[in-house]
Amino acid sequence: MEIRIADGRTVTADAGESIYAALKKNGIYLVASCGGKGICGKCRVKVIEGRSRIEASARLSKKDREESTVLACQAFPEEDILIEIPEDAKLVIGDKIAVSKAKGLLEFLHSVEQVFTPPVGCTVLDLAPPTIHDNISDLERIKRALDEKGIHGMRFSHDFVLSMSKALRDAAWKVTLAYSDDLEAFALHPSECLNEYGIAVDIGTTTIVLYLVNCYDGSLIDVGMTYNSQMRYGDDVITRIVHATEGGGIAELQQAVVDDVNDMLLPILEKNSISRDAVVAAVLSGNTTMSQLFWGLDPSSIREEPYIPTINIFPVWRAGTAKLRINSQAPVYTLPSVGSYVGGDIVAGVLASKMHRSPEIALFMDIGTNGEIAVGNNEWLITAACSMGPCFEGSGIRHGMRATEGAIESVKIDPLTFEPALGVIGDVKPVGICGSGMIDAISELFFTGLIDQKGKFARDLKTDRIKVEDEGPEFILHRGELRDIVLTEADVENVVRAKAALYAGVSVLLKEVGLSLDIVERIYIAGGFGNYLDIDKAIMIGMLPDLPEEKFSFIGNTSIAGSYLCLLSRKMRQEAAEIAGKMTYMELSVLRGFMDEYMSALFLPHTDMDLFPTVKKAYNKSV
Amino acid sequence: MEIRIADGRTVTADAGESIYAALKKNGIYLVASCGGKGICGKCRVKVIEGRSRIEASARLSKKDREESTVLACQAFPEEDILIEIPEDAKLVIGDKIAVSKAKGLLEFLHSVEQVFTPPVGCTVLDLAPPTIHDNISDLERIKRALDEKGIHGMRFSHDFVLSMSKALRDAAWKVTLAYSDDLEAFALHPSECLNEYGIAVDIGTTTIVLYLVNCYDGSLIDVGMTYNSQMRYGDDVITRIVHATEGGGIAELQQAVVDDVNDMLLPILEKNSISRDAVVAAVLSGNTTMSQLFWGLDPSSIREEPYIPTINIFPVWRAGTAKLRINSQAPVYTLPSVGSYVGGDIVAGVLASKMHRSPEIALFMDIGTNGEIAVGNNEWLITAACSMGPCFEGSGIRHGMRATEGAIESVKIDPLTFEPALGVIGDVKPVGICGSGMIDAISELFFTGLIDQKGKFARDLKTDRIKVEDEGPEFILHRGELRDIVLTEADVENVVRAKAALYAGVSVLLKEVGLSLDIVERIYIAGGFGNYLDIDKAIMIGMLPDLPEEKFSFIGNTSIAGSYLCLLSRKMRQEAAEIAGKMTYMELSVLRGFMDEYMSALFLPHTDMDLFPTVKKAYNKSV
C-alpha cells in the first residue's frame, strides 16, 4: 500500500505494517515516547483519504476521532491512504545546539592532542608489485611494508584476507591500510583516508543521540536523535532487565536498540552522501545495562545482589558483530562502565566535565531516566546512581517532549492573574514541554500557590487555568486550536519523585564520604535539557542543593560529548579508562539512610526547609 | 526412501539423492576417486530389490548391467531399495599403520618437549565469588585472576563474553579457561581440561587424511581417510584453480573439502564417544592451493605469472570461520606455505623428516598428485614442485586404489611364464593396485620384456596375460570371478609421465644450486604409499636417482605426520615457521632445462642409460 503525505512525499507500507513503522522505515520519524505501542498517544496523524484498520484508540478524544485523527502506531492501512502529519507529531532529527557545543569540544581536543587519533589508524602502503624473483605472498608483502614503517604485530582477520588480494591488484599495489587501535587490519582502500567517518552514539534508556563525525578534521557533520524503542519493553532499566530474562528477551532488546541506531543513521548518511563503508569507527556510551544490551549480553546479574555486570571494560569488537550498519570491520569502542548502575555514560560525563583533571572538589550529576552522581577531583572519584524515571526526557508526562523545537523550556506565571508566559525552543508555537520547562513550571506553580508543598493542586483558587478532568486536576500552559498543552497533577508527582531521588542520592553519597556540601567547589549538571536549565528554579523545587548559583555549570548531554571526545582521541580513551578504574562505586540501595532521605525529599523543596535557606526566604516573601 | 544394505544396516535417502550421497551422509563410504561424478566407475553396488533412476552407466559392462550392478553415484532410488556393497567398493576408514607410526613421532616429541603444547592452552581459575564489596564485573574478575597467574594481554571475543557469565555461575566460579596460543580466550569449562582433543588434517589434492588426537597424552585415537571431493571439479590443482575463477567456484571448492573433513570426522567422533565441542584445536597441512581453498581464498594468482599466493603464513583463525564442525572457537593452525606450488604439506614433511635439524645434505621428495622436492640441511633449504597427476594415489588408473586393504602393493613377474606373484595389503583377495604396486609392476613388465623402454606393450609375446581391448593392450594382474584386475598401457603411460616429472624436477633443482647427486647423503621419500615402497624398483623405472639403497628412507605420509607434531608442540610450530621462512622456492616452469629433462625422462628408466648404471647393468643381464 502507498501512504501519501500531504507535503507531497510518498512511502510504501507492507501488509500489516503500521503507518508509524512504514514512515520510520523511510526515515520519517514521529514523536512516540512509548516506542510505538499505543500508550503515549503522541504519534497522531490525520487520515485524509483511505481506510485503515485501527487497533487501539483509547488515547484519542471523540473530537480526534471525528477529525479522522489516528495514532500512527495503531493504524494499519488497508488501501492507499493520504495523511497529514501535524507539526507536533514530527520528531525533529538534527540539533543545531549540539553542533555549536561540539566546537568547544574540538578546541579542548586541540589543546590535548595535535592530531586526531580515532580508534582506527591508517597508513599508506606503496608496495612493489610482485615479480618472479620477489614472489612472497600478498600478505607477507603487506607485513614487510609494515615492518619497514615500524608497525609490528598487526593481526589479520579471515574477512580481511578474503578481499585483500583483489584489493591490492585493483589498486595497483598502492593502498591505504586501515587498522584498529588494537592492531587488527580491517580494510584496504585505494586512496588516502582523508574522508573517513565515525559515529558517536549515546544510548540512553529513553533517548538515543548520534553524532556523525569526520574523523580527519573532527567536524560534526550531522546529529540524530530518537527514542529508544526498547521502551516498548519497559520504561526503566529494571523492567528491561526483567524482560531480558524472558525467552528471547535479550535478542529483542538488542535488536530494538541496534535498529534504532541503524534506522537513524541511514537517512543521515544518505542526506550527507556518505557510504556506509566510509564510516570506520564507532564509540558508544550508555549506562551499564544499555551497553550490555547493545552487545546482547544478559544483564540479569545486574539486578540481583551483589549486582554484578558481565563486563565493565569492553574489548573493542567489530561493527559487524553488533550488526551496526557501518563498515562491518569498523572497531566499536564502548565507554567503560564503573558498576552495575554507573556506566560509560557517566565516565563520558566526567571526562567531558574535565573534573578528573582538576584539584577542585566537584559534584557531577547526570539527569536522565537514571540520575547518576559523581563526586571527586583529580585524585579520587566516588559515584552512585538512583532511578528517576523518564519524565525529564519527556516520557510519562502528558505533554512531555524532548528539548527540541516547539518545546516549552521556560515558564513564568503571573502571581496575580496566574497567566503563564512561555519560552519555546525555536520561538515557534509550543507543541509540548521539556524537562527544563517542567522544572520552571513546578517552581512557579509552587511559588504562586497553585500547588502545595506536596505538589497537590489548589482546587479552590479562582482561575480557569486549572481544569479538573477525570484523571485529576491539570494546569493549562497553552491553549491550542486543536488541544491544550497542560501539566497534570500526575506529571507534578512524577517530577517530585524524580527530584527527590536525585537529592537523596547526593545527600547520602556525600554523607558516606563524610563531606559537607560547602566544600564542593563546582557542580556540573548534565542531561538532555537542551541549552537551558534554570538552576535557580531547580533549587527552588529542591532538585539541586541550595548552593550559590555561580558554582553551577549546566553542561548538557555529556554522554554524547564524552563519546565524541573518545571517537577523536586516544588520549581521551585512556583518560576514560583511568576514570573508570579510579571511580569507587557505591550501591545506594544498600547504603543506610537512602529511603529516609528520599521520603524527606518528596516535598517542595524538602520537609526540612532549613536545608534550603534561599528557598525558604523567597517562599516566605512570596506568600 | 530407505536403502537397506544386505549386511543389515538401513539408511534414508532424500528425494533426488544418489545412493552414494545417502550412504556417505550416514558414514558409509564407497571408493570413488572421481568424487562421485560417474567417471571412475568404482562405487559399484548391486541392487537386489527396488527401482532407481540411473543417470550414467558408461563405466558398466553388459554383464554388470545384467547383474543389476550400478554406480552408486549415478543411481537415484525411486522407492525403498535393497543393495549389496561389494568388498572392493568399500572405502576403509582407519589405518593401523598410521597408529604404529604415530608412536615413533610421540617418542620424538617427548625428546623435544616435556609437556605437550597444543595451540590451545588452559588454566584453572578458582575465583572468589562476587560480593557487594568485591563487585567488579565478571570479565574483570577473570582478568584479575589471570594477572595473578602472570598471564597478561588475553583477548576476549564477543562470542566468549556472551556465554561467560552463565558459565562462571554454573560452575560456581571454579572454571578452566581455554585459550589459543595467540592469547584469545575461547571457552570456560567446569572441569580441568584433561580430555581435550585435536585433529590433524592432511588435505591432499586427491586424498584427505585425518588424525584424532588426545591433546593431553598425545595418543592417536583414530584415523580417517577419504578422497577429496574437489576431484569432481578437476583432478589437479590447476583445473581446480580454473574452476575457482568461475562464478561461485571458490565456494564450491571450499565447501567440498570442508564437508569431506566434517563427514569423515563426525562418525569417528561418534564411534569414540567424543563430543564436537571437546575437539578444541585443529592443524591443517596441504599444498598452497589446498590450504587457500580450505579457507575460501581465491587461488587464481597462483596460476598466473609471477605465481603469487594470497598468503603463506596463515594467521590462527577459528574453526567456526572455516565451518569445521568442532568447537567453533577452536584455533585452526595452518602449516605455512613456501610458495605457490610448495605448501604446508612440504613444510610438514621436512619437519617430520628432521632434515632441517641435521648438517647432512638431504633430498626430500613427497610423491602425491604433485611431486615436491626439497634439498638442504640445517643451514639452507631449497624447494620446487612438479605436477605428477593423481596416479600414485590410485586415481586415473583403471584399477588404481589407495594403499589400503586389498591393494596390490608388490608384484613379481616370472620372466619365463609371465605369471605374476602379488603381495596384497591385508593378505586378502586383491581389489585394485596402489602406487607401490604400480612401480613394482612396471619395473617387472620392463625387465621381463613385456613393455619396452617407451612403456609400449610387446603385443607379439606369446602370453594370455596380455589382452588387447578397444582401449589398448593391458596386462592381467589378477583373474577375478567378476572382473580381472589389469594394468593398461594408458596406466603405464600415466606412471611414466609422473616419474619423469619427478626425476626432471630433482635434476633441474640440483643443477640450479650446482650440486651433484653424490653429495646427497640421505634421501627421504614421502607419500601415501602405505608401509611399502620398493626403492630398488623405483630406481629401476627411473623415478628415483640411481644411488645406493641405504641412502634412502621411505617415511610415509609426512604431511599428516608433521601436522600431528604441530598439533602437540609449540616448538614444532616454531620449527615449521622457521623451515617455511628459510626455504628458497624455485619455480620449475621458469627454470631453463626443465622441459628437456622431462622429455629425456619419459623413458624407462631414461634416454641416457648412463645416468642409471645399476639399472643398465641389471637390464643388460636380464635380456
Side-chain angles (χ1 to χ4, degrees), chain A residues 131-132 135-140 155-156 158 162 165 295-296 306 308-313 317 321, chain B residues 131-132 135-140 155-156 158 162 165 295-296 306 308-313 317 321:
Chain A
T131 66
I132 204 99
N135 58 2
I136 59 174
S137 75
D138 295 342
L139 184 62
E140 275 71 49
R155 287 175 293 115
F156 298 91
H158 184 250
L162 272 182
S165 290
W295 289 109
I308 304 298
T310 293
I311 192 162
N312 279 339
I313 302 163
W317 290 322
T321 303
Chain B
T131 67
I132 204 100
N135 59 1
I136 58 174
S137 76
D138 296 342
L139 185 63
E140 275 71 47
R155 288 175 290 116
F156 298 91
H158 184 251
L162 271 184
S165 290
W295 288 109
I308 304 297
T310 293
I311 191 162
N312 280 338
I313 303 164
W317 291 320
T321 304

Short mmCIF file of all heavy atoms in Angstrom, two decimals, chain A residues 131-132 135-140 155-156 158 162 165 295-296 306 308-313 317 321, chain B residues 131-132 135-140 155-156 158 162 165 295-296 306 308-313 317 321:
data_model
loop_
_atom_site.label_atom_id
_atom_site.label_comp_id
_atom_site.label_asym_id
_atom_site.label_seq_id
_atom_site.Cartn_x
_atom_site.Cartn_y
_atom_site.Cartn_z
N THR A 131 57.22 -9.97 -8.43
CA THR A 131 57.84 -10.48 -9.66
C THR A 131 58.23 -11.92 -9.39
O THR A 131 58.11 -12.41 -8.27
CB THR A 131 59.12 -9.70 -10.01
OG1 THR A 131 60.08 -9.99 -8.97
CG2 THR A 131 58.89 -8.21 -10.07
N ILE A 132 58.71 -12.59 -10.40
CA ILE A 132 59.08 -13.98 -10.24
C ILE A 132 60.24 -14.11 -9.24
O ILE A 132 60.42 -15.14 -8.60
CB ILE A 132 59.41 -14.59 -11.64
CG1 ILE A 132 59.22 -16.09 -11.61
CG2 ILE A 132 60.77 -14.18 -12.13
CD1 ILE A 132 57.91 -16.54 -12.16
N ASN A 135 58.76 -13.07 -4.98
CA ASN A 135 57.47 -13.76 -5.08
C ASN A 135 56.88 -14.15 -3.72
O ASN A 135 56.26 -15.20 -3.59
CB ASN A 135 57.59 -14.98 -6.00
CG ASN A 135 58.66 -15.96 -5.50
OD1 ASN A 135 59.27 -15.74 -4.45
ND2 ASN A 135 58.88 -17.05 -6.22
N ILE A 136 57.09 -13.31 -2.71
CA ILE A 136 56.43 -13.59 -1.43
C ILE A 136 54.92 -13.39 -1.60
O ILE A 136 54.49 -12.76 -2.56
CB ILE A 136 56.97 -12.69 -0.28
CG1 ILE A 136 56.76 -11.20 -0.61
CG2 ILE A 136 58.43 -13.00 0.00
CD1 ILE A 136 57.14 -10.28 0.54
N SER A 137 54.18 -13.94 -0.68
CA SER A 137 52.72 -13.88 -0.80
C SER A 137 52.23 -12.45 -0.57
O SER A 137 52.95 -11.60 -0.06
CB SER A 137 52.06 -14.83 0.19
OG SER A 137 52.12 -14.29 1.49
N ASP A 138 50.98 -12.23 -0.93
CA ASP A 138 50.39 -10.90 -0.78
C ASP A 138 50.43 -10.43 0.68
O ASP A 138 50.77 -9.29 0.97
CB ASP A 138 48.93 -10.92 -1.26
CG ASP A 138 48.83 -11.20 -2.75
OD1 ASP A 138 49.85 -11.05 -3.46
OD2 ASP A 138 47.74 -11.59 -3.20
N LEU A 139 50.07 -11.33 1.58
CA LEU A 139 50.02 -10.94 2.99
C LEU A 139 51.43 -10.63 3.52
O LEU A 139 51.62 -9.64 4.24
CB LEU A 139 49.37 -12.04 3.83
CG LEU A 139 49.17 -11.68 5.31
CD1 LEU A 139 48.24 -10.48 5.47
CD2 LEU A 139 48.62 -12.86 6.10
N GLU A 140 52.41 -11.45 3.12
CA GLU A 140 53.78 -11.18 3.57
C GLU A 140 54.31 -9.87 2.98
O GLU A 140 55.13 -9.18 3.59
CB GLU A 140 54.71 -12.34 3.20
CG GLU A 140 54.70 -13.47 4.23
CD GLU A 140 53.41 -14.27 4.24
OE1 GLU A 140 52.95 -14.69 3.15
OE2 GLU A 140 52.84 -14.46 5.33
N ARG A 155 47.36 -7.91 13.34
CA ARG A 155 46.62 -9.15 13.16
C ARG A 155 45.70 -9.01 11.94
O ARG A 155 45.25 -7.91 11.63
CB ARG A 155 45.79 -9.46 14.42
CG ARG A 155 46.67 -9.94 15.57
CD ARG A 155 45.91 -10.13 16.87
NE ARG A 155 45.45 -8.86 17.39
CZ ARG A 155 44.17 -8.52 17.53
NH1 ARG A 155 43.23 -9.36 17.20
NH2 ARG A 155 43.85 -7.34 18.00
N PHE A 156 45.48 -10.12 11.28
CA PHE A 156 44.70 -10.10 10.04
C PHE A 156 43.55 -11.08 10.15
O PHE A 156 43.78 -12.28 10.29
CB PHE A 156 45.59 -10.44 8.86
CG PHE A 156 46.71 -9.47 8.65
CD1 PHE A 156 47.95 -9.66 9.26
CD2 PHE A 156 46.52 -8.33 7.88
CE1 PHE A 156 48.98 -8.74 9.09
CE2 PHE A 156 47.54 -7.40 7.71
CZ PHE A 156 48.79 -7.61 8.32
N HIS A 158 40.19 -13.25 8.98
CA HIS A 158 39.84 -14.01 7.78
C HIS A 158 39.08 -13.13 6.79
O HIS A 158 39.36 -13.15 5.59
CB HIS A 158 39.00 -15.22 8.20
CG HIS A 158 38.65 -16.12 7.07
ND1 HIS A 158 37.37 -16.24 6.59
CD2 HIS A 158 39.41 -16.95 6.32
CE1 HIS A 158 37.36 -17.11 5.59
NE2 HIS A 158 38.60 -17.55 5.40
N LEU A 162 40.20 -12.35 2.92
CA LEU A 162 39.32 -12.77 1.82
C LEU A 162 39.28 -11.75 0.69
O LEU A 162 39.25 -12.12 -0.48
CB LEU A 162 37.88 -12.97 2.34
CG LEU A 162 37.50 -14.33 2.90
CD1 LEU A 162 36.04 -14.33 3.29
CD2 LEU A 162 37.78 -15.45 1.90
N SER A 165 43.60 -9.72 -1.64
CA SER A 165 44.38 -9.87 -2.87
C SER A 165 43.78 -9.07 -4.02
O SER A 165 44.48 -8.42 -4.78
CB SER A 165 44.48 -11.35 -3.24
OG SER A 165 45.32 -12.01 -2.31
N TRP A 295 25.22 -5.04 23.14
CA TRP A 295 26.06 -6.17 22.73
C TRP A 295 25.38 -7.51 22.96
O TRP A 295 26.02 -8.57 22.81
CB TRP A 295 27.41 -6.12 23.45
CG TRP A 295 28.29 -5.00 22.98
CD1 TRP A 295 28.62 -3.87 23.65
CD2 TRP A 295 28.95 -4.91 21.70
NE1 TRP A 295 29.44 -3.08 22.89
CE2 TRP A 295 29.66 -3.69 21.68
CE3 TRP A 295 29.00 -5.73 20.56
CZ2 TRP A 295 30.42 -3.28 20.58
CZ3 TRP A 295 29.76 -5.32 19.47
CH2 TRP A 295 30.45 -4.11 19.49
N GLY A 296 24.11 -7.48 23.36
CA GLY A 296 23.37 -8.74 23.51
C GLY A 296 23.77 -9.55 24.74
O GLY A 296 23.55 -10.75 24.79
N PRO A 306 24.81 -9.67 44.42
CA PRO A 306 25.52 -8.41 44.67
C PRO A 306 25.65 -7.47 43.46
O PRO A 306 26.60 -6.70 43.43
CB PRO A 306 26.88 -8.89 45.14
CG PRO A 306 27.10 -10.19 44.42
CD PRO A 306 25.74 -10.79 44.22
N ILE A 308 26.19 -7.51 39.85
CA ILE A 308 27.45 -7.62 39.11
C ILE A 308 27.21 -7.53 37.60
O ILE A 308 26.44 -8.32 37.05
CB ILE A 308 28.15 -8.96 39.44
CG1 ILE A 308 28.36 -9.11 40.95
CG2 ILE A 308 29.48 -9.08 38.69
CD1 ILE A 308 29.27 -8.07 41.58
N PRO A 309 27.86 -6.61 36.92
CA PRO A 309 27.77 -6.58 35.46
C PRO A 309 28.63 -7.70 34.86
O PRO A 309 29.56 -8.19 35.51
CB PRO A 309 28.37 -5.23 35.08
CG PRO A 309 28.78 -4.56 36.33
CD PRO A 309 28.72 -5.54 37.44
N THR A 310 28.29 -8.09 33.65
CA THR A 310 29.13 -9.06 32.94
C THR A 310 30.48 -8.45 32.63
O THR A 310 31.51 -9.11 32.68
CB THR A 310 28.42 -9.49 31.64
OG1 THR A 310 27.27 -10.23 32.02
CG2 THR A 310 29.31 -10.36 30.77
N ILE A 311 30.47 -7.18 32.33
CA ILE A 311 31.67 -6.57 31.78
C ILE A 311 31.67 -5.09 32.07
O ILE A 311 30.64 -4.44 32.00
CB ILE A 311 31.66 -6.87 30.25
CG1 ILE A 311 32.97 -6.55 29.58
CG2 ILE A 311 30.55 -6.13 29.54
CD1 ILE A 311 33.06 -7.25 28.23
N ASN A 312 32.80 -4.57 32.48
CA ASN A 312 32.93 -3.12 32.63
C ASN A 312 33.82 -2.55 31.54
O ASN A 312 33.50 -1.56 30.91
CB ASN A 312 33.50 -2.77 34.01
CG ASN A 312 32.44 -2.81 35.10
OD1 ASN A 312 31.24 -2.70 34.83
ND2 ASN A 312 32.86 -2.99 36.33
N ILE A 313 34.96 -3.19 31.36
CA ILE A 313 35.89 -2.68 30.34
C ILE A 313 35.69 -3.52 29.08
O ILE A 313 36.11 -4.67 29.02
CB ILE A 313 37.33 -2.78 30.86
CG1 ILE A 313 37.45 -1.98 32.17
CG2 ILE A 313 38.32 -2.23 29.81
CD1 ILE A 313 38.68 -2.33 32.96
N TRP A 317 35.21 -4.53 19.88
CA TRP A 317 34.69 -5.52 18.95
C TRP A 317 34.35 -4.82 17.63
O TRP A 317 34.58 -3.62 17.48
CB TRP A 317 33.47 -6.22 19.58
CG TRP A 317 33.83 -7.13 20.72
CD1 TRP A 317 34.93 -7.94 20.80
CD2 TRP A 317 33.11 -7.31 21.96
NE1 TRP A 317 34.92 -8.62 22.01
CE2 TRP A 317 33.83 -8.27 22.72
CE3 TRP A 317 31.93 -6.79 22.47
CZ2 TRP A 317 33.39 -8.70 23.98
CZ3 TRP A 317 31.50 -7.21 23.72
CH2 TRP A 317 32.23 -8.16 24.46
N THR A 321 29.81 -7.45 14.28
CA THR A 321 29.37 -8.27 15.41
C THR A 321 28.12 -7.67 16.05
O THR A 321 27.23 -8.38 16.50
CB THR A 321 30.51 -8.33 16.47
OG1 THR A 321 31.66 -8.85 15.84
CG2 THR A 321 30.14 -9.20 17.65
N THR B 131 30.95 -10.23 45.79
CA THR B 131 30.14 -9.77 46.92
C THR B 131 29.86 -8.29 46.68
O THR B 131 30.40 -7.69 45.75
CB THR B 131 30.90 -9.90 48.26
OG1 THR B 131 31.99 -8.97 48.23
CG2 THR B 131 31.43 -11.30 48.46
N ILE B 132 29.07 -7.73 47.54
CA ILE B 132 28.71 -6.32 47.39
C ILE B 132 29.96 -5.44 47.56
O ILE B 132 30.04 -4.33 47.05
CB ILE B 132 27.57 -5.97 48.39
CG1 ILE B 132 26.79 -4.76 47.88
CG2 ILE B 132 28.07 -5.77 49.80
CD1 ILE B 132 25.51 -5.13 47.20
N ASN B 135 32.81 -6.09 43.96
CA ASN B 135 31.77 -6.13 42.94
C ASN B 135 32.28 -5.77 41.55
O ASN B 135 31.58 -5.15 40.77
CB ASN B 135 30.59 -5.23 43.36
CG ASN B 135 31.02 -3.79 43.57
OD1 ASN B 135 32.18 -3.45 43.39
ND2 ASN B 135 30.09 -2.93 43.94
N ILE B 136 33.51 -6.17 41.24
CA ILE B 136 33.99 -5.94 39.88
C ILE B 136 33.21 -6.86 38.94
O ILE B 136 32.59 -7.82 39.37
CB ILE B 136 35.51 -6.19 39.75
CG1 ILE B 136 35.87 -7.61 40.18
CG2 ILE B 136 36.28 -5.16 40.54
CD1 ILE B 136 37.33 -7.95 39.92
N SER B 137 33.25 -6.52 37.67
CA SER B 137 32.46 -7.29 36.70
C SER B 137 33.06 -8.68 36.52
O SER B 137 34.19 -8.95 36.91
CB SER B 137 32.41 -6.55 35.37
OG SER B 137 33.64 -6.68 34.69
N ASP B 138 32.27 -9.54 35.91
CA ASP B 138 32.72 -10.92 35.68
C ASP B 138 34.02 -10.96 34.87
O ASP B 138 34.94 -11.71 35.19
CB ASP B 138 31.63 -11.70 34.93
CG ASP B 138 30.35 -11.83 35.75
OD1 ASP B 138 30.43 -11.63 36.98
OD2 ASP B 138 29.30 -12.12 35.16
N LEU B 139 34.06 -10.15 33.81
CA LEU B 139 35.26 -10.20 32.97
C LEU B 139 36.48 -9.68 33.73
O LEU B 139 37.57 -10.26 33.63
CB LEU B 139 35.04 -9.38 31.69
CG LEU B 139 36.18 -9.45 30.68
CD1 LEU B 139 36.38 -10.87 30.18
CD2 LEU B 139 35.93 -8.53 29.49
N GLU B 140 36.30 -8.62 34.49
CA GLU B 140 37.44 -8.10 35.26
C GLU B 140 37.88 -9.10 36.33
O GLU B 140 39.06 -9.16 36.69
CB GLU B 140 37.09 -6.75 35.92
CG GLU B 140 37.30 -5.55 34.98
CD GLU B 140 36.29 -5.47 33.86
OE1 GLU B 140 35.09 -5.60 34.11
OE2 GLU B 140 36.71 -5.31 32.68
N ARG B 155 42.90 -11.71 25.01
CA ARG B 155 41.81 -11.04 24.29
C ARG B 155 40.53 -11.85 24.46
O ARG B 155 40.58 -13.08 24.57
CB ARG B 155 42.16 -10.87 22.82
CG ARG B 155 43.24 -9.78 22.60
CD ARG B 155 43.68 -9.69 21.15
NE ARG B 155 44.45 -10.87 20.78
CZ ARG B 155 44.07 -11.74 19.86
NH1 ARG B 155 42.95 -11.57 19.20
NH2 ARG B 155 44.81 -12.78 19.59
N PHE B 156 39.40 -11.15 24.48
CA PHE B 156 38.13 -11.82 24.72
C PHE B 156 37.17 -11.49 23.58
O PHE B 156 36.83 -10.33 23.37
CB PHE B 156 37.54 -11.36 26.06
CG PHE B 156 38.42 -11.72 27.23
CD1 PHE B 156 39.39 -10.84 27.69
CD2 PHE B 156 38.29 -12.96 27.85
CE1 PHE B 156 40.21 -11.18 28.76
CE2 PHE B 156 39.11 -13.31 28.91
CZ PHE B 156 40.08 -12.42 29.37
N HIS B 158 33.63 -11.48 21.41
CA HIS B 158 32.23 -11.28 21.75
C HIS B 158 31.55 -12.61 22.04
O HIS B 158 30.79 -12.74 23.01
CB HIS B 158 31.54 -10.54 20.59
CG HIS B 158 30.12 -10.20 20.85
ND1 HIS B 158 29.08 -10.82 20.22
CD2 HIS B 158 29.56 -9.32 21.71
CE1 HIS B 158 27.93 -10.32 20.67
NE2 HIS B 158 28.19 -9.41 21.57
N LEU B 162 29.64 -13.61 25.53
CA LEU B 162 28.21 -13.93 25.50
C LEU B 162 27.85 -15.07 26.45
O LEU B 162 26.81 -15.04 27.09
CB LEU B 162 27.79 -14.32 24.08
CG LEU B 162 27.34 -13.21 23.13
CD1 LEU B 162 26.88 -13.82 21.81
CD2 LEU B 162 26.23 -12.36 23.72
N SER B 165 29.25 -15.29 31.55
CA SER B 165 28.68 -15.07 32.88
C SER B 165 27.92 -16.31 33.35
O SER B 165 28.03 -16.71 34.52
CB SER B 165 27.75 -13.85 32.86
OG SER B 165 28.53 -12.69 32.71
N TRP B 295 40.31 -22.30 3.18
CA TRP B 295 39.89 -21.04 3.80
C TRP B 295 39.08 -20.16 2.86
O TRP B 295 38.80 -19.00 3.18
CB TRP B 295 41.11 -20.28 4.32
CG TRP B 295 41.73 -20.92 5.54
CD1 TRP B 295 42.93 -21.58 5.60
CD2 TRP B 295 41.17 -20.99 6.86
NE1 TRP B 295 43.14 -22.05 6.88
CE2 TRP B 295 42.08 -21.70 7.68
CE3 TRP B 295 39.98 -20.52 7.44
CZ2 TRP B 295 41.84 -21.95 9.04
CZ3 TRP B 295 39.75 -20.76 8.78
CH2 TRP B 295 40.68 -21.47 9.56
N GLY B 296 38.74 -20.69 1.68
CA GLY B 296 37.90 -19.94 0.76
C GLY B 296 38.61 -18.79 0.08
O GLY B 296 37.97 -17.85 -0.39
N PRO B 306 53.39 -13.66 -11.91
CA PRO B 306 54.53 -14.34 -11.27
C PRO B 306 54.16 -15.35 -10.17
O PRO B 306 54.99 -15.59 -9.32
CB PRO B 306 55.31 -13.16 -10.68
CG PRO B 306 54.28 -12.14 -10.37
CD PRO B 306 53.17 -12.32 -11.35
N ILE B 308 51.77 -15.91 -7.44
CA ILE B 308 51.82 -15.39 -6.06
C ILE B 308 50.64 -15.91 -5.24
O ILE B 308 49.48 -15.73 -5.62
CB ILE B 308 51.78 -13.84 -6.07
CG1 ILE B 308 52.92 -13.27 -6.94
CG2 ILE B 308 51.84 -13.28 -4.65
CD1 ILE B 308 54.31 -13.57 -6.44
N PRO B 309 50.92 -16.57 -4.14
CA PRO B 309 49.81 -16.96 -3.26
C PRO B 309 49.27 -15.73 -2.51
O PRO B 309 49.97 -14.73 -2.35
CB PRO B 309 50.46 -17.92 -2.24
CG PRO B 309 51.90 -18.02 -2.60
CD PRO B 309 52.23 -16.97 -3.60
N THR B 310 48.05 -15.83 -2.04
CA THR B 310 47.49 -14.78 -1.21
C THR B 310 48.22 -14.74 0.13
O THR B 310 48.44 -13.68 0.70
CB THR B 310 45.98 -15.04 -0.98
OG1 THR B 310 45.33 -14.87 -2.23
CG2 THR B 310 45.38 -14.10 0.05
N ILE B 311 48.60 -15.92 0.60
CA ILE B 311 49.07 -15.99 1.97
C ILE B 311 49.99 -17.19 2.11
O ILE B 311 49.75 -18.24 1.55
CB ILE B 311 47.81 -16.09 2.88
CG1 ILE B 311 48.13 -15.90 4.33
CG2 ILE B 311 47.06 -17.37 2.70
CD1 ILE B 311 46.88 -15.57 5.12
N ASN B 312 51.09 -17.00 2.79
CA ASN B 312 51.95 -18.14 3.13
C ASN B 312 51.87 -18.46 4.62
O ASN B 312 51.69 -19.60 5.00
CB ASN B 312 53.40 -17.85 2.75
CG ASN B 312 53.66 -18.06 1.26
OD1 ASN B 312 52.91 -18.77 0.59
ND2 ASN B 312 54.70 -17.42 0.73
N ILE B 313 52.01 -17.43 5.44
CA ILE B 313 51.96 -17.65 6.89
C ILE B 313 50.56 -17.31 7.35
O ILE B 313 50.18 -16.14 7.43
CB ILE B 313 53.02 -16.77 7.59
CG1 ILE B 313 54.40 -17.10 7.00
CG2 ILE B 313 52.98 -16.99 9.10
CD1 ILE B 313 55.45 -16.07 7.32
N TRP B 317 43.14 -18.80 12.69
CA TRP B 317 41.73 -18.42 12.70
C TRP B 317 40.94 -19.47 13.47
O TRP B 317 41.51 -20.43 13.99
CB TRP B 317 41.23 -18.24 11.25
CG TRP B 317 41.83 -17.04 10.58
CD1 TRP B 317 42.07 -15.82 11.12
CD2 TRP B 317 42.28 -16.96 9.21
NE1 TRP B 317 42.63 -14.97 10.17
CE2 TRP B 317 42.76 -15.65 9.00
CE3 TRP B 317 42.31 -17.84 8.13
CZ2 TRP B 317 43.27 -15.20 7.77
CZ3 TRP B 317 42.81 -17.41 6.91
CH2 TRP B 317 43.29 -16.11 6.73
N THR B 321 34.98 -20.12 11.70
CA THR B 321 35.22 -19.37 10.46
C THR B 321 35.33 -20.33 9.28
O THR B 321 34.89 -20.03 8.17
CB THR B 321 36.52 -18.55 10.60
OG1 THR B 321 36.39 -17.72 11.74
CG2 THR B 321 36.80 -17.71 9.37
#
